Amino acid sequence: MSESTIPTKKTNRLGLELSTYRGSKTTLCAGCGHNAITERIIDAFFEMGVDPKRVLKLSGIGCSSKSPAYFLNQSHGFNSVHGRMPSIATGALLANKAMLAIGVSGDGDTGAIGIGQFVHLMRRNLPLIYIIEDNGCYGLTKGQFSPTADLGSKAKNGVVNDLPPIDICALAIELGASLVARSFSGDKKQLLSVLKAAIAHRGTAMIDVISPCVTFNDHDGSTKSYSYVKDHDEPLGEISFIPYFEDVTVEYEAGSTTAVKLHDGSQLFLRKVADDYNPADKISAMRLLHETARRGEFATGVLYVEPDKDDFIDTLNLIDEPLAFLPTAKVRPPKAALDEIMESLR
Ligand SMILES: Cc1ncc(C[n+]2csc(CCOP(=O)(O)OP(=O)(O)O)c2C)c(N)n1
Ligand code: SF4
Ligand SMILES: [Mg+2]
């Protein structure tokens, strides 16, 4: 299992140790990409100094969906039904908009049984970090192809996948998610920066993390194996992230770096991105995804970001106080108020 790179006794800006951000011991296979993602989530929440009691962890069903048990064990959690995490997240955030919500799903949980809920989640831009631990197969049920498996990719038993994949990032960009990224569980530095940007963002941060399944999908002929992904990873540019609470002035060469100011004031710097790439432009992002996919490559990094887009909670124009804390007298209108509404409908 990939270990955290942070010395254990160090404390963050809340005075909390890294151990506060850990969860139960993993029960996933040794070497599973999902374990490395868990470690980066722990590091990201620790380094951003997020209060674990303010965090809500959600998931569906699958090996990936077990992951929230392995991080932030002081946070609230809801391991939901297969493919139905988006509606649980929507309800929870409507009830308490002060929570910072992180959902972990799988390529099967999202792209197969959950695709209907996923597309409406993306359209709504709910303020949620949505991570897909993408191994191109249903790991928990012994490695069948999932909808992100590439055409022509081979299963361990030699069966060839004869269906084209869904590009989850392209779908999320098209539908309205306001931060869309792809990363690789084996790229610690990039994944950590992407996760911190997602914590700083307000809106749906959809992160597709290629996460090899060592037990069922790590052989020759698989396009989601460690060796294939290492050889075909095309990072969009180097990413650095400066949180709002660190007053660091970064010097960068104009023209070679794109700077993005996120919702909480944190800054994201994308270095050495191609001149014609604009992460605020959907067409740039879609072109990149199509061109790299045609070459059999994975474009990784922050592909698209729209920091100021209204999220679902903003569009509902809710009162400031989270609904969950309102007294009954406020959430249950008296009979007279209901009668008045009924009368107005006559
Ligand atoms: C309603 C329902 N249908 C089918 C299943 C069986 N099932 C459990 S996990 C899973 C797929 C998981 O794949 P993925 O989301 O990619 O997660 P992974 O295990 O690969 O991380 C399936 C089909 C189920 N639990 N519930
Ligand atoms: S079966 Fe695959 S996805 Fe599931 S824990 Fe093992 S390596 Fe990970
Ligand atoms: Mg999977």
Side-chain angles (χ1 to χ4, degrees):
M1 175 169 163
S2 158
E3 287 300 322
S4 166
T5 46
I6 299 168
T8 14
K9 285 291 169 203
K10 201 178 135 189
T11 54
N12 65 10
R13 68 194 176 105
L14 298 183
L16 300 173
E17 286 181 13
L18 184 69
S19 57
T20 314
Y21 292 81
R22 294 198 177 284
S24 312
K25 195 172 177 309
T26 179
T27 55
L28 303 182
C29 306
C32 175
H34 302 353
N35 288 329
I37 301 171
T38 293
E39 289 299 326
R40 298 293 80 71
I41 293 173
I42 292 169
D43 291 350
F45 278 83
F46 169 79
E47 289 186 13
M48 289 294 283
V50 178
D51 177 359
K53 304 222 165 59
R54 231 197 93 211
V55 178
L56 169 63
K57 311 178 288 180
L58 300 138
S59 61
I61 297 290
C63 298
S64 33
S65 292
K66 290 165 79 175
S67 299
Y70 314 136
F71 60 81
L72 295 175
N73 65 359
Q74 294 184 11
S75 302
H76 306 267
F78 199 124
N79 180 201
S80 75
V81 182
H82 202 13
R84 271 46 175 183
M85 179 246 284
S87 41
I88 304 290
T90 308
L93 285 164
L94 282 183
N96 189 349
K97 63 180 188 171
M99 298 301 282
L100 198 167
I102 172 168
V104 181
S105 180
D107 40 309
D109 191 67
T110 289
I113 196 168
I115 193 79
Q117 295 221 346
F118 178 76
V119 296
H120 293 286
L121 180 76
M122 296 299 117
R123 289 175 66 220
R124 288 175 171 169
N125 194 33
L126 188 77
L128 168 72
I129 303 167
Y130 189 100
I131 297 174
I132 302 178
E133 298 188 338
D134 187 352
N135 51 19
C137 70
Y138 302 160
L140 190 72
T141 54
K142 302 206 181 305
Q144 303 86 346
F145 289 124
S146 81
T148 66
D150 288 307
L151 181 67
S153 167
K154 251 191 207 153
K156 207 173 172 183
N157 60 8
V159 173
V160 175
N161 181 32
D162 52 10
L163 288 173
I166 294 176
D167 186 325
I168 291 283
C169 289
L171 193 60
I173 292 168
E174 176 65 30
L175 290 167
S178 49
L179 190 154
V180 178
R182 175 164 280 141
S183 193
F184 170 39
S185 61
D187 187 341
K188 288 186 184 180
K189 194 166 167 277
Q190 185 196 60
L191 181 54
L192 184 61
S193 298
V194 167
L195 287 168
K196 287 184 186 171
I199 293 170
H201 179 68
R202 176 87 189 172
T204 300
M206 204 299 294
I207 312 172
D208 180 46
V209 190
I210 306 193
S211 175
C213 168
V214 286
T215 304
F216 297 110
N217 206 12
D218 197 30
H219 45 267
D220 285 351
S222 160
T223 56
K224 297 279 198 290
S225 65
Y226 276 109
S227 62
Y228 187 92
V229 182
K230 266 188 206 139
D231 291 347
H232 296 81
D233 184 0
E234 281 257 311
L236 179 56
E238 289 160 30
I239 303 178
S240 41
F241 174 88
I242 313 287
Y244 71 91
F245 50 86
E246 269 177 29
D247 192 16
V248 180
T249 325
V250 181
E251 298 212 350
Y252 57 86
E253 251 176 76
S256 71
T257 302
T258 307
V260 183
K261 194 161 192 180
L262 296 167
H263 173 83
D264 70 356
S266 299
Q267 303 241 57
L268 187 62
F269 296 97
L270 309 174
R271 282 199 189 84
K272 295 185 198 145
V273 284
D275 287 347
D276 60 348
Y277 195 80
N278 174 3
D281 173 30
K282 287 191 173 189
I283 295 172
S284 274
M286 293 302 238
R287 190 185 309 119
L288 177 84
L289 287 169
H290 281 283
E291 285 173 357
T292 44
R294 200 181 293 151
R295 298 196 298 269
E297 312 277 347
F298 299 101
T300 59
V302 174
L303 304 167
Y304 180 72
V305 59
E306 193 180 345
D308 302 321
K309 183 175 180 175
D310 275 357
D311 65 50
F312 188 55
I313 306 289
D314 298 328
T315 58
L316 292 176
N317 201 19
L318 296 180
I319 58 166
D320 288 342
E321 197 176 354
L323 303 184
F325 301 137
L326 295 178
T328 314
K330 275 204 167 167
V331 287
R332 274 206 198 144
K335 185 170 180 309
L338 291 173
D339 288 346
E340 200 181 311
I341 292 170
M342 292 307 284
E343 195 55 37
S344 73
L345 297 173
R346 268 147 75 86

